[in-house]
Amino acid sequence: MYRTFLALGWLAYPLLIYFGLHVLQPRYVALLLAAGLLLRRRRQMQRFMADLTRLDQTILFCLLGLAGLTAVVNSELLLRLYPAAVATGVLLLFATSLHAPPSMIERFARLQQPDLPPEGVRYTRKVTQVWCAFLALNSLTALYTALFSSREVWSLYNGLIAYVLMGALFAGEWLVRKYIVKPQVS
């Protein structure tokens, strides 16, 4: 139940920010974001971040820093930059996995198919590259909407359109992988 609540909160956070800005100052919405981020990372924080890589830690502290700066200066613009920062952090994680295998998509694929064959490894590497391109475009679009769009357009893109696009890419890749990467028969 707790995990479901957190997942729904993270999926809806741009919409929550949009509605929160109608009733709260940006600093309070930023503090709620920081609290949500810390709750999401609660297990790692309890173990003094032992499970987080240095890059994960850096991204976490940058997001917390952005939320903290937003709270201090009470800036809606900084608050609206948060989705772009998150997307950039995820892009860094995916891109780094291309240089330090296994690739991010290979890790996900091995959850369903631990004995991923070599052609599956090659395929998931290519898909990770596709995700990197998508995440780069998403980061730039989120940045553009934060800087140059109305609150409504920003919320629509970051709270709905980006998630629909991610879901379509994820589902499409999963379906294609089912046909391209067949389980090995012993």
Side-chain angles (χ1 to χ4, degrees), residues 102-121:
S103 70
M104 192 63 74
I105 300 299
E106 180 183 344
R107 294 174 199 179
F108 296 145
R110 285 190 186 278
L111 294 174
Q112 290 184 327
Q113 189 178 357
D115 59 339
L116 194 65
E119 65 269 11
V121 172

Side-chain angles (χ1 to χ4, degrees), residues 42 49 98 128 130 144 156 164:
R42 180 176 54 124
M49 303 180 133
L98 291 170
T128 301
V130 169
Y144 179 86
L156 177 65
V164 168

Side-chain angles (χ1 to χ4, degrees), residues 80 141 143-155:
R80 288 172 52 170
T141 305
L143 178 63
Y144 179 86
T145 61
L147 296 174
F148 303 112
S149 297
S150 67
R151 191 186 280 177
E152 291 74 20
V153 169
W154 171 85
S155 184

